[in-house]
Amino acid sequence: TLSTAVRKGETDVFVFYSGHGVPDKSGETTYLFPSDGKIANLENRAMPLPKFYADLNSLGARSVTVMLDACFSGTARKTQNTTLANLTGQKGIKLKINRPWETYQNFTVINSSTSDETSLGFDEAETGLFTYYVTAGLKGAADANADRKVTLGELKEYVVKNVVETSRKKSGLQTPEFFGDDTRILVEYK
């Protein structure tokens, strides 16, 4: 398990997830749910977001960076090949998103969209719009001052600008959310 690989106070943990975020019928709890999963019996087949963050916090890592390319509106991603789909069969669920990471030390959390938006696809391979720009940004496109380092602030500026601009052209609005120290270096090039 991950806990055996983490040296408390020394290890940096990085988690990237691309899939669905699905609310329960009440909107009280949201879950990470694989794109090929079966929605029946959600509580036993998916990871509750509060438990996900509590488990990561309990590792005692030096830092935790979480990137989620998942929307929590209960809809499936729209791409060039697919249309939006309501995964839960529910309409009008008002989500009650708690943000436990805001109380955890050394957490950086990046979400592909706000809780009431859909995370869009980018291309025929169904790459997420968010994933496309995060990857390009970490490869150097976000290095605004050309110091061969990409900080959280630089990545935020690059990703938000490009995802918002591209999503408006595609089919609506997608606004990535960033939490953490903007001066934190995410990638450094030699």
Side-chain angles (χ1 to χ4, degrees):
T1 66
L2 184 58
S3 62
T4 60
V6 172
R7 289 188 180 152
K8 294 195 184 289
E10 294 179 28
T11 304
D12 296 310
V13 174
F14 183 91
V15 178
F16 179 86
Y17 172 82
S18 180
H20 297 302
V22 179
D24 65 7
K25 291 178 183 179
S26 70
E28 293 284 332
T29 304
T30 53
Y31 296 85
L32 295 178
F33 187 72
S35 58
D36 61 350
K38 303 235 186 288
I39 201 74
N41 201 6
L42 176 67
E43 293 80 11
N44 295 319
R45 295 182 179 194
M47 170 64 81
L49 212 49
K51 179 175 175 16
F52 171 74
Y53 283 111
D55 287 353
L56 287 173
N57 188 48
S58 71
L59 295 173
R62 177 174 59 183
S63 71
V64 176
T65 302
V66 177
M67 293 185 181
L68 299 180
D69 191 350
C71 62
F72 293 93
S73 61
T75 57
R77 170 179 291 157
K78 179 181 179 187
T79 67
Q80 292 177 345
N81 299 327
T82 62
T83 58
L84 287 174
N86 185 330
L87 296 173
T88 63
Q90 304 290 324
K91 287 189 178 181
I93 295 174
K94 182 67 177 164
L95 297 179
K96 298 171 183 95
I97 302 287
N98 62 26
R99 300 161 100 57
W101 60 84
E102 291 180 352
T103 62
Y104 299 155
Q105 287 191 320
N106 302 318
F107 260 64
T108 300
V109 176
I110 306 171
N111 294 316
S112 62
S113 60
T114 64
S115 63
D116 58 347
E117 294 173 340
T118 299
S119 293
L120 303 171
F122 183 70
D123 56 22
E124 291 179 14
E126 298 185 23
T127 303
L129 182 60
F130 168 80
T131 297
Y132 177 84
Y133 284 111
V134 163
T135 304
L138 292 173
K139 287 169 101 177
D143 185 10
N145 62 2
D147 66 352
R148 306 202 48 82
K149 299 173 186 173
V150 176
T151 64
L152 180 64
E154 287 176 317
L155 187 66
K156 176 176 24 178
E157 185 175 323
Y158 175 80
V159 169
V160 170
K161 175 187 177 289
N162 284 289
V163 169
V164 167
E165 185 178 291
T166 305
S167 67
R168 282 190 175 134
K169 291 176 186 173
K170 290 179 87 48
S171 63
L173 180 63
Q174 178 179 339
T175 313
E177 296 181 313
F178 285 69
F179 171 82
D181 178 359
D182 279 352
T183 65
R184 180 167 176 242
I185 297 170
L186 298 175
V187 175
E188 189 168 353
Y189 302 94
K190 302 224 181 232

